[in-house]
CSV table of all heavy atoms in Angstrom, one decimal:
chain,number,residue,atom,x,y,z
X,119,ILE,N,-10.7,52.9,23.8
X,119,ILE,CA,-10.4,51.8,22.9
X,119,ILE,C,-9.6,52.4,21.7
X,119,ILE,O,-10.1,53.3,21.1
X,119,ILE,CB,-11.6,51.0,22.4
X,119,ILE,CG1,-12.5,50.7,23.6
X,119,ILE,CG2,-11.3,49.8,21.6
X,119,ILE,CD1,-12.4,49.3,24.2
X,120,ASP,N,-8.5,51.8,21.5
X,120,ASP,CA,-7.6,52.3,20.4
X,120,ASP,C,-7.6,51.2,19.3
X,120,ASP,O,-7.4,50.0,19.6
X,120,ASP,CB,-6.3,52.5,21.0
X,120,ASP,CG,-5.2,52.8,20.0
X,120,ASP,OD1,-5.5,53.7,19.2
X,120,ASP,OD2,-4.2,52.2,19.9
X,121,PHE,N,-7.8,51.6,18.0
X,121,PHE,CA,-7.8,50.6,17.0
X,121,PHE,C,-6.6,49.7,17.0
X,121,PHE,O,-6.7,48.5,16.8
X,121,PHE,CB,-8.1,51.2,15.6
X,121,PHE,CG,-8.0,50.1,14.5
X,121,PHE,CD1,-9.1,49.2,14.3
X,121,PHE,CD2,-6.8,49.9,13.8
X,121,PHE,CE1,-9.0,48.2,13.4
X,121,PHE,CE2,-6.7,48.8,12.9
X,121,PHE,CZ,-7.8,48.0,12.7
X,122,ASP,N,-5.4,50.3,17.2
X,122,ASP,CA,-4.2,49.5,17.0
X,122,ASP,C,-4.1,48.4,18.1
X,122,ASP,O,-3.6,47.3,17.8
X,122,ASP,CB,-3.0,50.4,17.2
X,122,ASP,CG,-2.8,51.3,16.0
X,122,ASP,OD1,-3.4,51.0,15.0
X,122,ASP,OD2,-2.1,52.4,16.1
X,123,GLU,N,-4.7,48.6,19.2
X,123,GLU,CA,-4.7,47.6,20.2
X,123,GLU,C,-5.6,46.4,19.8
X,123,GLU,O,-5.2,45.2,20.0
X,123,GLU,CB,-5.2,48.1,21.6
X,123,GLU,CG,-5.1,47.1,22.7
X,123,GLU,CD,-5.5,47.7,24.1
X,123,GLU,OE1,-5.8,48.9,24.2
X,123,GLU,OE2,-5.4,46.9,25.0
X,124,VAL,N,-6.7,46.7,19.2
X,124,VAL,CA,-7.6,45.7,18.7
X,124,VAL,C,-7.0,45.0,17.5
X,124,VAL,O,-6.9,43.7,17.5
X,124,VAL,CB,-9.0,46.3,18.2
X,124,VAL,CG1,-9.9,45.3,17.7
X,124,VAL,CG2,-9.6,47.1,19.4
X,125,GLY,N,-6.4,45.7,16.6
X,125,GLY,CA,-5.8,45.1,15.4
X,125,GLY,C,-4.6,44.3,15.7
X,125,GLY,O,-4.3,43.3,15.0
X,126,SER,N,-3.9,44.6,16.8
X,126,SER,CA,-2.7,43.8,17.1
X,126,SER,C,-3.1,42.4,17.6
X,126,SER,O,-2.2,41.5,17.7
X,126,SER,CB,-1.9,44.5,18.2
X,126,SER,OG,-2.6,44.4,19.4
X,127,LEU,N,-4.4,42.1,17.8
X,127,LEU,CA,-4.7,40.8,18.3
X,127,LEU,C,-4.8,39.7,17.2
X,127,LEU,O,-5.0,38.6,17.5
X,127,LEU,CB,-6.1,40.9,19.1
X,127,LEU,CG,-6.0,41.7,20.4
X,127,LEU,CD1,-7.4,41.7,21.0
X,127,LEU,CD2,-5.0,41.2,21.4
X,128,THR,N,-4.7,40.2,16.0
X,128,THR,CA,-4.6,39.2,14.9
X,128,THR,C,-3.3,39.4,14.1
X,128,THR,O,-2.9,40.5,14.0
X,128,THR,CB,-5.8,39.2,13.9
X,128,THR,OG1,-5.5,38.4,12.8
X,128,THR,CG2,-6.1,40.6,13.5
X,129,LYS,N,-2.8,38.3,13.6
X,129,LYS,CA,-1.5,38.4,12.9
X,129,LYS,C,-1.8,38.8,11.4
X,129,LYS,O,-0.8,39.1,10.7
X,129,LYS,CB,-0.8,37.0,12.8
X,129,LYS,CG,-0.3,36.5,14.1
X,129,LYS,CD,1.1,37.0,14.4
X,129,LYS,CE,1.6,36.4,15.7
X,129,LYS,NZ,1.2,37.3,16.9
X,130,SER,N,-3.0,38.8,11.0
X,130,SER,CA,-3.3,39.3,9.6
X,130,SER,C,-4.1,40.6,9.7
X,130,SER,O,-4.2,41.2,10.8
X,130,SER,CB,-4.2,38.2,8.9
X,130,SER,OG,-5.5,38.2,9.4
X,131,LYS,N,-4.8,41.0,8.6
X,131,LYS,CA,-5.6,42.2,8.6
X,131,LYS,C,-7.1,41.8,8.9
X,131,LYS,O,-8.0,42.6,8.8
X,131,LYS,CB,-5.5,42.9,7.3
X,131,LYS,CG,-4.1,43.4,6.9
X,131,LYS,CD,-4.0,44.8,7.3
X,131,LYS,CE,-2.6,45.4,6.9
X,131,LYS,NZ,-1.5,44.8,7.5
X,132,SER,N,-7.3,40.5,9.2
X,132,SER,CA,-8.7,40.1,9.3
X,132,SER,C,-9.2,40.3,10.7
X,132,SER,O,-9.4,39.4,11.5
X,132,SER,CB,-8.8,38.6,8.9
X,132,SER,OG,-10.2,38.2,8.7
X,133,VAL,N,-9.4,41.6,11.0
X,133,VAL,CA,-9.8,41.9,12.4
X,133,VAL,C,-11.3,41.8,12.5
X,133,VAL,O,-12.0,42.1,11.6
X,133,VAL,CB,-9.3,43.4,12.7
X,133,VAL,CG1,-9.8,44.4,11.8
X,133,VAL,CG2,-9.5,43.8,14.1
X,134,GLY,N,-11.8,41.4,13.7
X,134,GLY,CA,-13.2,41.2,13.9
X,134,GLY,C,-13.7,41.5,15.2
X,134,GLY,O,-13.0,41.9,16.1
X,135,ARG,N,-15.0,41.3,15.4
X,135,ARG,CA,-15.7,41.6,16.7
X,135,ARG,C,-15.1,40.8,17.9
X,135,ARG,O,-15.0,41.4,18.9
X,135,ARG,CB,-17.2,41.3,16.6
X,135,ARG,CG,-17.9,42.3,15.8
X,135,ARG,CD,-19.4,42.0,15.7
X,135,ARG,NE,-19.7,40.8,14.8
X,135,ARG,CZ,-20.8,40.1,14.9
X,135,ARG,NH1,-21.7,40.4,15.7
X,135,ARG,NH2,-20.9,39.1,14.0
X,136,PRO,N,-14.6,39.6,17.7
X,136,PRO,CA,-14.0,38.9,18.8
X,136,PRO,C,-12.8,39.7,19.4
X,136,PRO,O,-12.6,39.7,20.6
X,136,PRO,CB,-13.6,37.5,18.3
X,136,PRO,CG,-14.6,37.3,17.2
X,136,PRO,CD,-14.8,38.7,16.5
X,137,HIS,N,-12.1,40.3,18.5
X,137,HIS,CA,-10.9,41.1,19.0
X,137,HIS,C,-11.3,42.3,19.8
X,137,HIS,O,-10.8,42.6,20.8
X,137,HIS,CB,-10.0,41.5,17.8
X,137,HIS,CG,-9.6,40.4,16.9
X,137,HIS,ND1,-10.0,40.2,15.6
X,137,HIS,CD2,-8.8,39.3,17.2
X,137,HIS,CE1,-9.5,39.1,15.1
X,137,HIS,NE2,-8.8,38.5,16.1
Side-chain angles (χ1 to χ4, degrees):
I119 310 267
D120 173 51
F121 175 78
D122 290 342
E123 187 176 358
V124 181
S126 73
L127 295 178
T128 170
K129 293 270 182 278
S130 73
K131 298 265 184 296
S132 195
V133 62
R135 285 181 288 162
H137 304 114

